Amino acid sequence: MLRVEGLTKKFGGLLAVNKVSFTAHKGEVLALIGPNGAGKTTVFNLISGALRPTAGQVYLEGKPIGGKKPYQVAKMGIARTFQTTTVFDQLKVLDNLLVAHKLRTSSGLVDTILRTRRWKKELEESRARAMEVLDFIGLKEKALAPVQVLTQEERKRLAIGVALATGPKVLLLDEPTAGLLQEETEGIFGLIKSLKQRGMTVCVIEHKMRMVMNLADRVVVLNYGHKIAEGTPEEVSRNELVIQAYLGGEHVA
Ligand SMILES: Nc1ncnc2c1ncn2[C@@H]1O[C@H](COP(=O)(O)OP(=O)(O)O)[C@@H](O)[C@H]1O
Ligand SMILES: [Mg+2]
């Protein structure tokens, strides 16, 4: 589904990502782990078109996406969330999703101004789709609430919903449980689990090892921009390089 090949990013003299290759198969949860500064977020930025790779290529279903703009990548079917939650506080919950869905619809400005039939049809479709997403992320009852009243965990859910509203084939989640309490974390794990059950391909950057061990089909480990290991959670948790680099000598499980 998603293939990254020889992906490299230099920031001045710093090799933030160094010849990283991996594949996320359809319907699997692939965890991207590694110490802070390992290059995980940069990999997401390269995949989503926020950054241009210094070298290497990203393929979605075999099609190269390197050099495309973020909105083009999103249209092709890759959606992401950010390490810090980015939802519009002033908007209602539902409207956050409608804004996101707009990306996928074809009406231009003229349609919107003239309120053409196509525009109306698309708006209805967007609403229906947005309500479906809200139902899925468990925020249907709060559709018309302003984002300000949501808890941290609900905001994280909404951010995932916003990504889902674009109808992606691949979802990139950057630390979806960062800053949450233990019991709130469970809610997000559950949501990722149901995404997987629905056949979504998910790449997730996550520090909570219990989540990685329970949820990920495979794990890719980065350290100083290099991929140092790849395998099942069991395999990487027994890998000496990983134990040294990432866990400071402690065993995961
Ligand atoms: N836009 C940027 N400009 C310069 N350096 C950056 C930029 N983004 C990230 N870096 C550097 O690249 C390295 C990898 O960062 P990042 O991908 O955010 O790591 P991670 O997400 O694994 O914690 C870090 O040393 C970071 O300081
Ligand atoms: Mg990061």
Side-chain angles (χ1 to χ4, degrees), residues 35-42 83 174-175 205 207:
N36 274 327
K40 306 178 297 295
T41 297
T42 303
Q83 210 165 333
D174 195 347
E175 300 196 28
I205 297 172
H207 282 301

Coordinates of all heavy atoms in Angstrom, one line a residue, residues 35-42 83 174-175 205 207, ligand 2:
P35 N 14.0 6.8 19.7 CA 14.2 7.8 20.6 C 13.8 9.2 20.0 O 13.8 9.3 18.8 CB 15.7 7.8 20.9 CG 16.2 6.5 20.4 CD 15.3 6.1 19.3
N36 N 13.7 10.2 20.9 CA 13.4 11.5 20.4 C 14.5 12.0 19.5 O 15.7 11.8 19.7 CB 13.3 12.5 21.6 CG 11.9 12.5 22.2 OD1 11.0 12.4 21.4 ND2 11.9 12.7 23.5
G37 N 14.1 12.6 18.4 CA 15.1 13.1 17.4 C 15.6 12.1 16.4 O 16.4 12.3 15.6
A38 N 14.9 10.9 16.5 CA 15.4 9.8 15.6 C 15.0 10.0 14.1 O 15.6 9.4 13.2 CB 14.7 8.5 16.1
G39 N 14.0 10.9 13.9 CA 13.6 11.2 12.5 C 12.2 10.7 12.2 O 11.8 10.8 11.0
K40 N 11.5 10.3 13.1 CA 10.1 9.8 12.9 C 9.2 10.8 12.3 O 8.6 10.5 11.2 CB 9.6 9.2 14.2 CG 10.4 8.2 14.9 CD 9.8 7.7 16.2 CE 9.6 8.8 17.3 NZ 10.8 9.4 17.8
T41 N 9.1 11.9 12.9 CA 8.2 13.0 12.4 C 8.6 13.4 11.0 O 7.8 13.7 10.1 CB 8.1 14.1 13.4 OG1 7.5 13.7 14.6 CG2 7.2 15.3 12.8
T42 N 9.9 13.5 10.8 CA 10.5 13.9 9.5 C 10.0 12.9 8.4 O 9.7 13.3 7.3 CB 12.0 14.1 9.6 OG1 12.3 15.0 10.6 CG2 12.6 14.5 8.2
Q83 N 1.7 15.7 15.8 CA 2.2 15.4 17.2 C 1.4 16.3 18.2 O 1.0 15.8 19.2 CB 3.7 15.7 17.3 CG 4.4 14.8 18.3 CD 5.9 14.9 18.1 OE1 6.4 15.1 17.0 NE2 6.6 14.6 19.1
D174 N 0.8 10.7 14.3 CA 2.0 11.1 15.0 C 1.8 11.2 16.5 O 1.2 12.2 16.9 CB 2.6 12.4 14.4 CG 4.1 12.6 14.8 OD1 4.5 11.9 15.7 OD2 4.7 13.5 14.2
E175 N 2.2 10.2 17.2 CA 2.0 10.2 18.7 C 0.5 10.6 19.1 O 0.3 11.6 19.8 CB 3.0 11.1 19.4 CG 4.4 10.7 19.1 CD 5.4 11.3 20.0 OE1 5.1 11.7 21.1 OE2 6.6 11.5 19.6
I205 N 3.3 6.6 14.9 CA 4.5 6.9 15.8 C 4.0 6.8 17.2 O 3.0 7.5 17.6 CB 5.1 8.3 15.5 CG1 5.6 8.4 14.0 CG2 6.2 8.6 16.5 CD1 6.0 9.7 13.6
H207 N 5.1 6.1 21.5 CA 6.1 5.8 22.5 C 5.7 4.8 23.5 O 6.5 4.1 24.2 CB 6.5 7.1 23.3 CG 7.4 8.0 22.5 ND1 8.7 7.5 22.1 CD2 7.3 9.2 22.0 CE1 9.2 8.5 21.4 NE2 8.4 9.5 21.3
Ligands
MG2 MG 8.3 13.5 16.5

